Amino acid sequence: MLVVESLVKRFGGFTAVNNVSFKVEKGEILGLIGPNGSGKSTIFNMLSGTFPPSAGSILFEGGELAGLPPHKIINRGIGRTFQIPRPFRRLSIFENVALAGYYGQGSHSRSKADESAERALAAVGLPVERNASVDGLGAAGLKKLELAKALATEPKLLLADESLGGLDEHEMDQAADMLRRIRDDLGITIIWVEHIMGVLMRVVDRVMVLDHGEKIAEGLPTAVVNDPRVIEVYLGTDAHATQAVAAAAAR
Amino acid sequence: MNPRHLAYWIAAAVLVGLPVVYNQPYHLHVMVLILIWSFAYTSWSVMGRFGLVSLGHGGFMGVGAYVTALLWNHFGLTPWVGIPVALVCAGLLALIVAYPCFRFRITGHYFALVTLALSGIVLQVITATRNQTGGSLGYTPERTKGNAIAALQFVDKETWYLIALGVWALGIAIWYWIDRSMIRYAMEAISEDEDAAAAAGINVTLEKLKITVLSAVMTALAGALYCQYQMFISPDTVSGISVSLQMVFAAVVGGIYVAFGPTVGAVITILLAEGLRIGFGTKAVGWDNLVYGVLLVVFIIFLPKGILGSLLARMKPSGKH
């Protein structure tokens, strides 16, 4: 579905992403992990068109995405959420989502947008009521809204950026289950960037690990957490942490 | 028909019927000025309400007025053709100025500064080409000896009152149309967070351009109308920075988030200007600008929704803005 070839991003003299290649199969959930500054968000920003890659190609269903502006990429069927929720506070919850449905699908049909908004809000478990204000939402609610906005664009591939930061354990589990349901029920392929490894390992089909802009491991969660390089760069040499993650993955 | 619609229809009937029962020329003249400027201020607020603060709208108004008058005097082109040409020119000028701004994300204060330069440039061009435009002395469209309708020149104030009323109503209608369309949601989103808006699939540059060109074209129409009505234009009255600032002031004072806010602003500014002119004569030239400046600061700090906006918000506590 998505084929990324030798992706490079340089900011001045700094190489944020260096020669990263990977594939995403239709219907899978790919986890993307790595320490801060490892290039995860930079890859996301290139996939979603926030900025163009310095080199390399991004093929989505056979079409080149590198260099396209964000709205065109979204119209091709790639939705994204932001690490920190970015709601439009002057619009109601419903308007936030309907807006994404209207412009994100590229069809510019108001009735279709309203339908998608209703479906997306129901999928994440937010009220479908028309005038509910964004100000009433807490951290978990804002993350759901962020997800609903992305879903309303009717994506085939969803880029979920660190969806769980700032949630408690119960909310985290719920959110992870929601991503799985989105894949299972709506058939949406997902790339999930996340800091919190335990929850991620439980849900994803495959994991890719980045460090200093380079891919250092890729494979099944169980295999990756036992990879010595991953343990070194991501977890340090703390044996307890390693065991904790391995236990989480086995769960 | 609900009471609100009924009230609108009654108000419309009263406005249309007014010159039949009351036609004191000076008062009608002031009303025509208020209507034309209301339309100009409404045009400004079409983009201004979304945080696109333009200080260049005097430039668009000048283009509307001067292109129409120049085509008539030099080529005998009827304003019925000249005005559309002028509107296209203003739209193109808006594109040329706005596209690079939006493409390279020049927003907020920097956008205001770029547009401020536009006001100045249009004024300088008019002044510099004085052989064609009359420069700072002003310019008069030639009086027609033929058909008044073809030349869009009418002597009686009643006709102008009805034309200005129609155009003003068109401005209000456009304002409402935008308020109810998806463009409003898109522009609200863009004004809050351009990246998030782009991630919702909005072509940020295109949406901003659309609203800017619409606003510029409307403003140019106000300029053309002003020219045809007054039969005299000068760079200082239809272009330049002071005209641009006057638009910002009036729209902010009236309220940029409500349909009739700019109209209320026009009533206040024009009554103020006329009051100063009658009360103090030539001794008070420029005083209105001083008052505008002081009031603008006071309003932005204490009453950012403007007079009408604040009143409506008080009457309806659940108002969105």
Side-chain angles (χ1 to χ4, degrees):
Chain A
M1 177 175 229
L2 184 76
V3 182
V4 175
E5 280 294 344
S6 341
L7 204 58
V8 177
K9 182 69 193 181
R10 289 183 211 96
F11 296 106
F14 173 67
T15 306
V17 172
N18 190 9
N19 209 17
V20 171
S21 305
F22 62 97
K23 281 185 192 163
V24 182
E25 300 297 334
K26 194 169 163 42
E28 76 172 335
I29 302 181
L30 173 70
L32 186 53
I33 59 174
N36 273 332
S38 60
K40 308 180 303 265
S41 288
T42 309
I43 289 183
F44 254 39
N45 284 332
M46 285 188 277
L47 294 181
S48 63
T50 307
F51 39 67
S54 307
S57 97
I58 304 165
L59 287 178
F60 179 66
E61 295 185 320
E64 181 60 62
L65 297 185
L68 288 183
H71 64 272
K72 288 210 171 130
I73 290 179
I74 285 149
N75 292 347
R76 294 248 185 121
I78 299 184
R80 80 164 293 179
T81 64
F82 286 98
Q83 188 172 359
I84 296 157
R86 292 161 87 163
F88 306 119
R89 295 202 171 266
R90 266 178 282 166
L91 305 180
S92 73
I93 293 175
F94 187 85
E95 286 165 349
N96 262 278
V97 182
L99 180 75
Y102 185 84
Y103 287 97
Q105 294 177 43
S107 59
H108 295 203
S109 144
R110 207 148 173 175
S111 56
K112 254 177 108 175
D114 285 358
E115 272 172 44
S116 305
E118 279 167 18
R119 231 176 307 139
L121 285 168
V124 302
L126 280 177
V128 182
E129 183 205 333
R130 297 271 162 151
N131 292 319
S133 157
V134 173
D135 296 331
L137 294 176
L142 287 174
K143 302 243 179 209
K144 286 179 182 174
L145 175 59
E146 194 66 23
L147 200 53
K149 273 160 66 185
L151 289 180
T153 66
E154 305 276 339
K156 296 173 209 156
L157 173 66
L158 174 67
L159 308 174
D161 196 354
E162 315 218 20
S163 320
L164 305 187
L167 302 185
D168 65 34
E169 213 161 299
H170 176 65
E171 286 170 332
M172 258 192 250
D173 277 336
Q174 276 188 329
D177 288 340
M178 192 183 293
L179 279 183
R180 180 139 63 182
R181 252 184 295 122
I182 286 168
R183 192 269 310 268
D184 294 348
D185 300 349
L186 306 176
I188 297 170
T189 311
I190 298 173
I191 305 181
W192 182 11
V193 166
E194 184 58 74
H195 272 318
I196 302 151
M197 215 167 160
V199 196
L200 179 125
M201 291 302 191
R202 195 160 61 76
V203 173
V204 296
D205 300 308
R206 274 190 316 130
V207 192
M208 182 168 107
V209 187
L210 291 174
D211 184 44
H212 294 297
E214 289 181 39
K215 183 166 90 175
I216 58 165
E218 188 178 7
L220 295 174
T222 39
V224 166
V225 291
N226 293 320
D227 186 311
R229 275 191 78 193
V230 175
I231 293 169
E232 196 189 322
V233 304
Y234 197 72
L235 302 166
T237 44
D238 186 334
H240 285 294
T242 317
Q243 279 163 9
V245 170
R251 215 172 13 156
Chain B
M1 187 181 282
N2 70 36
R4 199 185 157 100
H5 284 137
L6 191 67
Y8 277 137
W9 283 111
I10 292 172
V14 169
L15 284 172
V16 171
L18 186 87
V20 181
V21 288
Y22 184 83
N23 53 11
Q24 204 275 342
Y26 172 68
H27 290 165
L28 266 187
H29 167 70
V30 172
M31 299 260 287
V32 173
L33 284 183
I34 286 175
L35 286 169
I36 293 175
W37 284 108
S38 293
F39 176 65
Y41 302 157
T42 306
S43 309
W44 182 88
S45 78
V46 157
M47 66 188 280
R49 66 181 291 207
F50 300 118
L52 288 172
V53 175
S54 161
L55 300 178
H57 270 47
F60 300 128
M61 194 157 181
V63 168
Y66 271 90
V67 170
T68 307
L70 287 167
L71 288 174
W72 169 251
N73 282 4
H74 291 284
F75 304 101
L77 196 63
T78 161
W80 292 99
V81 180
I83 291 176
V85 172
L87 300 191
V88 170
C89 290
L92 286 176
L93 183 64
L95 270 182
I96 291 167
V97 175
Y99 180 75
C101 284
F102 297 159
R103 180 71 185 71
F104 298 107
R105 294 258 190 127
I106 296 170
T107 54
H109 304 88
Y110 299 102
F111 178 70
L113 282 176
V114 171
T115 56
L116 184 69
L118 173 69
S119 293
I121 289 167
V122 170
L123 185 133
Q124 291 299 327
V125 167
I126 294 169
T127 317
T129 54
R130 64 178 66 81
N131 292 336
Q132 284 77 40
T133 63
S136 52
L137 294 175
Y139 197 57
T140 308
E142 280 162 24
R143 288 270 169 200
T144 179
K145 297 174 188 74
N147 189 332
I149 293 177
L152 204 63
Q153 294 178 1
F154 308 103
V155 182
D156 62 310
K157 302 252 184 267
E158 286 86 347
T159 308
W160 273 113
Y161 172 81
L162 290 174
I163 291 173
L165 186 66
V167 172
W168 169 77
L170 174 74
I172 298 291
I174 291 174
W175 197 98
Y176 272 117
W177 170 72
I178 291 167
D179 197 53
R180 273 161 209 185
S181 77
M182 222 55 198
I183 295 174
R184 189 193 114 208
Y185 297 120
M187 289 306 301
E188 297 269 21
I190 290 168
S191 71
E192 274 191 61
D193 186 336
E194 292 199 358
D195 283 329
I202 298 168
N203 185 342
V204 174
T205 305
L206 179 71
E207 294 302 319
K208 284 167 86 175
L209 274 181
K210 279 201 278 195
I211 207 87
T212 305
V213 169
L214 174 66
S215 174
V217 166
M218 287 170 71
T219 309
L221 178 60
L225 207 62
Y226 180 88
C227 165
Q228 292 302 118
Y229 171 64
Q230 293 284 50
M231 292 301 282
F232 173 75
I233 47 179
S234 74
D236 294 321
T237 51
V238 293
S239 76
I241 290 160
S242 66
V243 174
S244 303
L245 288 178
Q246 187 191 326
M247 287 190 201
V248 181
F249 166 73
V252 168
V253 164
I256 52 177
Y257 304 117
V258 287
F260 292 95
T263 303
V264 169
V267 171
I268 293 168
T269 50
I270 287 169
L271 292 184
L272 179 68
E274 288 294 301
L276 286 172
R277 193 173 64 80
I278 292 167
F280 299 94
T282 50
K283 278 182 288 182
V285 168
W287 282 20
D288 48 346
N289 282 327
L290 179 69
V291 178
Y292 293 163
V294 173
L295 282 182
L296 186 60
V297 173
V298 171
F299 267 82
I300 287 174
I301 296 172
F302 295 107
L303 215 57
K305 287 176 190 163
I307 290 176
L308 188 67
S310 300
L311 273 177
L312 291 177
R314 193 153 292 182
M315 288 189 319
K316 194 173 61 178
S318 61
K320 289 193 72 177
H321 287 288

